[in-house]
Amino acid sequence: MKAVLLLWRAALLVGTELAAKPGGHNHGHPTPTPAPTPVPTPTPTPIPTPTPTPVPRPTPTPVPRPTPTAVPTPTPTPTPTPTPTPAQSLAIDATVSFDQGVPSSTIVSPSFSTNANNELLLAFVGTDFISGTNTTVTGVTGAGLSWKLIERTNVQPGTAEIWGAFSPLALSQVAVTATLSQSVASSITILSFKGADTVTGALGRGSGVSAPAATLTTTRNGSWVIGVGNDFSAALARTVDPGQVIVHQDLQSSTAATDTFWVQRTNAPSPLAGTVVTLGDTPPTTDACNLSICEVLPSLTTSPSVTLAWDAVPITTDPNTNPTGYKLWLGLTSGSETPNANVGNVTTFKVNLQSGTTYFAFVTAYNQANVNSAPSNEVTFTTP
């Protein structure tokens, strides 16, 4: 627009000059003013659209996978429900012993009777040694039962062995015979157990020229630990460890033998599975001794039981919080609970216990990584 205005001014000045000159060849007519030359409209130059500079996309920072969290605590508090039927706890019924100072290849127990059906019988045999291959019990017979070797320890001279049989019926005036691999002095003790399982549980052995000792870990609540030993070196009365008692001992001191044969046990059954039990004696501390021990199990069908129940942990989309199973924890005092049973992914469980015993319990849930939840509320109950 500025260029147009300038051109139009120049044309007016020329016209004025031409009109002022006299004698010109205009034939009396004024000289026409030339039409202004149209000024072309400038074509606007397009403004280029700026190309956006690419902004680099940040690399996503990897998010660490969270450590599996513990499964939520199962609720509500487990509620114990004692079984309504009367239960038979593990108990010793018959006990007889016989000591044989005169060397012989057999030894026979005194006659005995049992007071109930379904009793476990154990024969505890300790022997001397003379020469050659060490002594063993080669077999046990009696009461019309099938006897099997449970445990044998004969690293030191002589042997300490446990044999067992199960009688479905009460026995009347029966005897048990042990046959030995050589003619030696020996001792036999028979114990029968009411409310026992048909088989024994954990076993333990100890031998050496030292204080006799053997250890096992119980595998069932309310089980009893009992054992037999032989001392080849001397006839010396045992001093048992605390919480234990001598069932029988024989001090053999003669021209034929100088030995000690004995049977000992814990004072009472162990209320909890997983209990480490050591049967031991002091003195002696320098005699050559063998000691065999076994766990007598309470029957699962006759021992007292309690049923615990709890609500399932709710299922979510997070596998870390979903339960794979539950564990039952038991103790004899509040806060002393230890794992007693992995019950699987169920919400009720019947546990066999020792009669007349107060227990404390809680449950935990665990996930696929075996991470335990916090414990449930603690409950306490006393078995009938």
Side-chain angles (χ1 to χ4, degrees):
M1 190 65 183
K2 183 175 181 181
V4 172
L5 291 175
L6 289 174
L7 289 172
W8 182 245
R9 176 180 291 182
L12 290 176
L13 289 175
V14 171
T16 303
E17 182 179 356
L18 290 175
K21 285 184 177 182
H25 301 281
N26 53 9
H27 304 284
H29 298 282
T31 301
T33 301
T37 303
V39 180
T41 302
T43 303
T45 303
I47 301 174
T49 303
T51 303
T53 303
V55 179
R57 186 171 183 176
T59 303
T61 303
V63 180
R65 185 168 182 168
T67 303
T69 54
V71 185
T73 303
T75 54
T77 300
T79 303
T81 306
T83 51
T85 55
Q88 172 64 61
S89 292
L90 184 61
I92 296 174
D93 184 11
T95 303
V96 294
S97 298
F98 178 69
D99 306 319
Q100 185 162 265
V102 177
S104 174
S105 60
T106 60
I107 182 169
V108 183
S109 75
S111 296
F112 63 93
S113 300
T114 60
N115 295 313
N117 297 335
N118 300 316
E119 291 200 14
L120 176 69
L121 277 67
L122 296 179
F124 300 90
V125 183
T127 78
D128 191 17
F129 165 72
I130 298 298
S131 63
T133 303
N134 201 4
T135 314
T136 61
V137 178
T138 58
V140 174
T141 58
L145 303 175
S146 176
W147 293 81
K148 295 181 179 180
L149 175 64
I150 294 172
E151 185 64 292
R152 169 184 291 146
T153 306
N154 66 345
V155 177
Q156 298 300 318
T159 192
E161 302 191 17
I162 306 171
W163 290 67
F166 189 81
S167 178
L169 300 175
L171 303 172
S172 178
Q173 294 303 301
V174 296
V176 174
T177 300
T179 302
L180 314 178
S181 63
Q182 57 183 281
S183 184
V184 291
S186 59
S187 177
I188 187 170
T189 295
I190 307 296
L191 277 78
S192 72
F193 294 86
K194 295 187 293 185
D197 205 336
T198 59
V199 296
T200 54
L203 304 172
R205 295 187 294 176
S207 61
V209 183
S210 59
T215 300
L216 59 75
T217 301
T218 61
T219 61
R220 190 174 296 176
N221 301 325
S223 64
W224 219 329
V225 179
I226 189 165
V228 58
N230 81 286
D231 180 343
F232 179 75
S233 303
L236 182 64
R238 309 292 98 173
T239 300
V240 297
D241 290 349
Q244 300 172 27
V245 63
I246 289 289
V247 177
H248 175 76
Q249 66 179 340
D250 173 31
L251 308 181
Q252 290 277 356
S253 183
S254 66
T255 56
T258 303
D259 303 89
T260 306
F261 309 122
W262 77 98
V263 176
Q264 70 183 93
R265 61 170 173 81
T266 53
N267 283 338
S270 300
L272 296 174
T275 302
V276 178
V277 178
T278 299
L279 294 188
D281 308 274
T282 54
T285 58
T286 58
D287 289 0
C289 298
N290 297 303
L291 180 60
S292 295
I293 66 175
C294 73
E295 177 190 18
V296 180
L297 301 172
S299 169
L300 293 177
T301 60
T302 62
S303 59
S305 64
V306 168
T307 298
L308 299 174
W310 55 92
D311 283 351
V313 173
I315 301 298
T316 70
T317 57
D318 182 358
N320 291 322
T321 63
N322 291 335
T324 302
Y326 301 87
K327 295 177 183 177
L328 171 65
W329 300 59
L330 288 177
L332 300 180
T333 58
S334 178
S336 70
E337 293 89 347
T338 57
N340 192 262
N342 185 336
V343 304
N345 199 5
V346 297
T347 56
T348 62
F349 184 70
K350 184 176 78 170
V351 57
N352 292 79
L353 302 165
Q354 182 177 327
S355 179
T357 303
T358 299
Y359 289 87
F360 294 79
F362 61 76
V363 293
T364 57
Y366 59 90
N367 63 9
Q368 61 185 3
N370 202 30
V371 177
N372 285 320
S373 72
S376 69
N377 290 1
E378 184 183 67
V379 295
T380 182
F381 49 88
T382 300
T383 53

